Amino acid sequence: MTTDARACAARVLVQVVSGGRSLAAALPDALQSMSDTRQRALVQELAYGTLRWFCRLDVLLQRLMKKPMKQRDVDVRCLLLIGLYQLTQLGMPQRVAVNETVQATEALNKAWARGLVNAVLRNYQRRAESLEVTVDSEVAVKFAHPTWLVERLQADWPHDWEAILVANNARPPFSLRVNQHRITRDEYLDELAARSIEALPLPHVVAGLMLKKPVAVEKLTGFSAGVVSVQDGAAQLAAGLLSLAPGQRVLDACAAPGGKTAHILEVEPEIDRLIAVDIVGRRLRRIEENLSRLSLHDELRQGDATEPSAWWDGRPYDRILLDVPCSATGVIRRHPDIKLLRKPGDVATLVSGQARLLQALWPLLVPGGMLLYSTCSVLKADNSNQVARFLEQHADAVEAPINTAWGRCCVHGRQILPGDDEMDGYYFACLQKLG
């Protein structure tokens, strides 16, 4: 059964490496056909782990091959990378890793590659020590990140770039948000302890906790009944920064998948109305499913947030949450495929889109109202530089300070770096409209 798991993981990697498909989209489709939970877990481990270390594994593979593989054999290339991941990172018995990976060529219908896979992996075993020293002489390879991203991080965070790279390669924590209208965090921690599930409260967020070991959500007490939701601690900060109050009209632009939408309603159920907008219909359905599980209700509207005339009713909002599409460089530990899928030119395109969103939504805010700008990025182009440019262009906008113990103070806004207090990399800036 493990042979099939390796072949399945290789097919998933092909979709990401050659097809440009996200791991979040490719992996669930592949796991649907598997009923064995151990096999599913192995596929997930191999897919995530190989992508996490892809930039390093691929250089190792190049050193072990006499010539590049043909494009039609990209599945064999991905299988070899999976084999190297097992040998370099997983710590499983090397004989098992090699033999099972060789056998997986049959499941890929590439039996001719048995000898090649065996030879390459055994070649690595013989040369491991010298190869590791050689490839690690280059910083980008050592930390398994694309060179362009390492250079951007070094420029933006000259004292923290190495810690960011290390955090990006770590396994992410399994963080939860307790619905405090249903149960307190301490009570839920007691319920987890009664089921021998170890957890700790997250700092800085009153409803957050972190499991010491991930578990399937269906095994979490009260998950299906809406008692608890999966959400990183940094994302849980947004609702508190909005300074919510009864009677407010709130817009959650770019709302999918709806975690922050739900948290707003949990924090302040007496707001007048919450409008959640997203441009993609299937993502709106995801929000609807999440809210239904939590027995929460808001108004969902499909539309382009840069063109509010198509969906706005003309009544201004007291609060706007603008969690913009960004480089996502703060959540690489959760989405390691970002290292492959994000290209240098994408950042400028995203920054332009963020500026259009700010320009389009600012007029929808009442005088005296607040727009919370947020990203899951650590790049200044997405974050403080974007806010600085907006403030320069809008005389009726001022920055409201974020006085808190978390994160790092920037020229504008506040930045959390990946791993800070067990949180993802996130950025927040509070923009207030003069009135």
Side-chain angles (χ1 to χ4, degrees):
M1 296 297 285
T2 53
T3 299
D4 291 339
R6 289 168 173 81
C8 181
R11 294 190 187 100
V12 170
L13 292 188
V14 169
Q15 295 180 58
V16 178
V17 174
S18 292
R21 196 179 187 200
S22 72
L23 182 58
L27 187 59
D29 290 347
L31 295 180
Q32 280 183 351
S33 61
M34 295 186 173
S35 57
D36 187 291
T37 55
R38 289 175 299 179
Q39 187 181 34
R40 289 166 62 94
L42 181 57
V43 172
Q44 184 162 314
E45 170 62 40
L46 295 175
Y48 270 90
T50 303
L51 286 171
R52 186 172 290 124
W53 293 98
F54 184 94
C55 297
R56 186 174 187 274
L57 297 172
D58 199 42
V59 173
L60 281 173
L61 182 58
Q62 293 171 32
R63 298 296 182 101
L64 292 165
M65 300 281 291
K66 292 182 178 179
K67 58 182 180 180
M69 300 200 68
K70 297 175 181 177
Q71 180 58 34
R72 66 171 180 263
D73 296 319
V74 65
D75 52 351
V76 177
R77 176 189 169 210
C78 289
L79 182 62
L80 282 164
L81 293 170
I82 287 169
L84 289 172
Y85 170 65
Q86 295 168 87
L87 293 175
T88 59
Q89 300 294 331
L90 272 193
M92 68 169 53
Q94 295 201 352
R95 179 183 60 82
V96 173
V98 172
N99 291 345
E100 295 291 349
T101 305
V102 170
Q103 291 298 320
T105 58
E106 304 279 353
L108 288 176
N109 296 318
K110 295 288 179 72
W112 62 265
R114 286 176 58 93
L116 172 66
V117 173
N118 184 66
V120 169
L121 297 183
R122 296 198 182 281
N123 188 14
Y124 169 78
Q125 288 179 297
R126 290 190 296 270
R127 300 170 55 195
E129 187 173 347
S130 61
L131 276 173
E132 299 279 348
V133 172
T134 301
V135 301
D136 284 350
S137 62
E138 185 177 341
V139 170
V141 176
K142 177 181 178 180
F143 291 103
H145 280 67
T147 300
W148 74 267
L149 181 53
V150 173
E151 292 172 350
R152 293 291 290 262
L153 294 174
Q154 288 173 329
D156 283 358
W157 299 98
H159 304 296
D160 301 286
W161 64 269
E162 189 169 335
I164 294 172
L165 297 177
V166 171
N168 285 351
N169 290 332
R171 296 170 187 268
F174 193 94
S175 301
L176 302 174
R177 184 190 77 243
V178 176
N179 184 348
Q180 294 194 299
H181 287 286
R182 306 282 295 277
I183 190 173
T184 69
R185 178 169 65 179
D186 287 344
E187 288 170 342
Y188 193 77
L189 284 167
D190 289 341
E191 289 196 9
L192 290 176
R195 301 187 63 180
S196 300
I197 299 175
E198 293 185 89
L200 297 169
L202 281 174
H204 312 304
V205 285
V206 297
L209 57 89
M210 180 182 69
L211 302 190
K212 288 194 174 182
K213 292 182 180 179
V215 301
V217 291
E218 57 268 18
K219 294 184 179 180
L220 290 172
T221 302
F223 179 81
S224 60
V227 173
V228 68
S229 300
V230 178
Q231 189 179 41
D232 183 75
Q236 294 182 42
L237 294 167
L241 290 172
L242 284 168
S243 299
L244 298 166
Q248 291 175 337
R249 283 173 53 83
V250 181
L251 171 66
D252 185 358
C254 312
K260 298 181 187 71
T261 312
H263 195 198
I264 288 170
L265 292 168
E266 290 175 2
V267 168
E268 184 47 80
E270 299 301 320
I271 58 176
D272 177 57
R273 181 167 295 180
L274 172 60
I275 310 296
V277 176
D278 203 274
I279 195 170
V280 180
R282 60 179 171 77
R283 294 207 297 248
L284 280 176
R285 290 191 291 274
R286 175 86 180 275
I287 299 174
E288 193 170 21
E289 290 168 1
N290 285 334
L291 293 178
S292 177
R293 179 180 64 83
L294 294 162
S295 300
L296 298 172
H297 306 281
D298 72 350
E299 189 172 331
L300 303 178
R301 295 181 186 174
Q302 184 175 353
D304 185 345
T306 64
E307 298 180 2
S309 60
W311 49 264
W312 184 39
D313 63 7
R315 296 179 62 194
Y317 299 99
D318 301 285
R319 298 288 184 268
I320 297 176
L321 171 59
L322 180 54
D323 190 24
V324 296
C326 66
S327 63
T329 45
V331 291
I332 287 175
R333 61 182 185 174
R334 296 191 187 280
H335 305 282
D337 50 323
I338 289 170
K339 295 180 185 180
L340 274 67
L341 300 179
R342 186 72 70 237
K343 306 301 180 187
D346 295 343
V347 177
T349 302
L350 289 161
V351 167
S352 177
Q354 294 156 8
R356 289 196 303 273
L357 283 164
L358 280 165
Q359 187 72 22
L361 295 176
W362 188 248
L364 279 59
L365 191 65
V366 300
M370 180 201 295
L371 183 150
L372 177 61
Y373 178 86
S374 73
T375 79
C376 56
S377 168
V378 295
L379 300 184
K380 291 185 178 179
D382 287 319
N383 299 339
S384 56
N385 291 356
Q386 181 73 266
V387 172
R389 190 160 47 249
F390 179 81
L391 290 170
E392 289 173 2
Q393 296 170 354
H394 293 79
D396 62 343
V398 294
E399 182 182 0
I402 300 174
N403 299 314
T404 180
W406 52 259
R408 296 137 195 265
C409 184
C410 304
V411 175
H412 296 288
R414 202 160 184 89
Q415 178 75 60
I416 302 166
L417 297 182
D420 286 355
D421 292 318
E422 302 296 342
M423 293 188 286
D424 289 343
Y426 249 84
Y427 173 84
F428 296 99
C430 296
L431 303 174
Q432 199 153 18
K433 197 169 195 176
L434 295 176

